[in-house]
Amino acid sequence: MLEPDDSPYDFTSIELKNFDQSLRCPICGDLFVGATMISTCMHTFCGKCVRESLSMRVGKSERPRCPQCLHDANDSQLKRTNKIDEIVTAWKEARLVFCFYTLDEIGRAHV
């Protein structure tokens, strides 16, 4: 669940919005936690989100599929992506600075 101070819409710059959105899980919408990629289609999700999605399908007697592109997928194809975790950590720190400057810009525009 998105925190009120962690919205992808915190920025006026489309480039920053797009960058922020690229570091978010397509399932939960939060910044990646334990980023995990499905090796066959290269889509990335939070580790917990993708595992729950795959196991939910198996529980319904359906073939497990990528939640984004619906290609067949299974647990053996899941790969942790530590570099994305590092980028997300750095972005969490940097986004606070960008948000501060965005708010400052908005404040100056209304003066």
Side-chain angles (χ1 to χ4, degrees), residues 2-32:
L2 292 175
E3 295 296 322
D5 61 347
D6 185 29
S7 169
Y9 306 104
D10 285 340
F11 307 103
T12 56
S13 161
I14 190 71
E15 294 84 4
L16 290 176
K17 284 180 187 177
N18 289 343
F19 182 71
D20 187 85
Q21 191 63 40
S22 72
L23 296 175
R24 291 181 181 275
C25 176
I27 297 173
C28 71
D30 288 338
L31 292 168
F32 290 121

Side-chain angles (χ1 to χ4, degrees), residues 7-67:
S7 169
Y9 306 104
D10 285 340
F11 307 103
T12 56
S13 161
I14 190 71
E15 294 84 4
L16 290 176
K17 284 180 187 177
N18 289 343
F19 182 71
D20 187 85
Q21 191 63 40
S22 72
L23 296 175
R24 291 181 181 275
C25 176
I27 297 173
C28 71
D30 288 338
L31 292 168
F32 290 121
V33 175
T36 302
M37 175 185 63
I38 299 174
S39 62
T40 53
C41 63
M42 308 296 275
H43 287 119
T44 303
F45 309 89
C46 292
K48 180 180 176 187
C49 290
V50 71
R51 282 182 175 76
E52 286 178 359
S53 177
L54 293 177
S55 67
M56 194 170 23
R57 287 183 174 275
V58 170
K60 293 180 181 178
S61 299
E62 297 175 10
R63 288 191 331 217
R65 296 177 182 267
C66 170

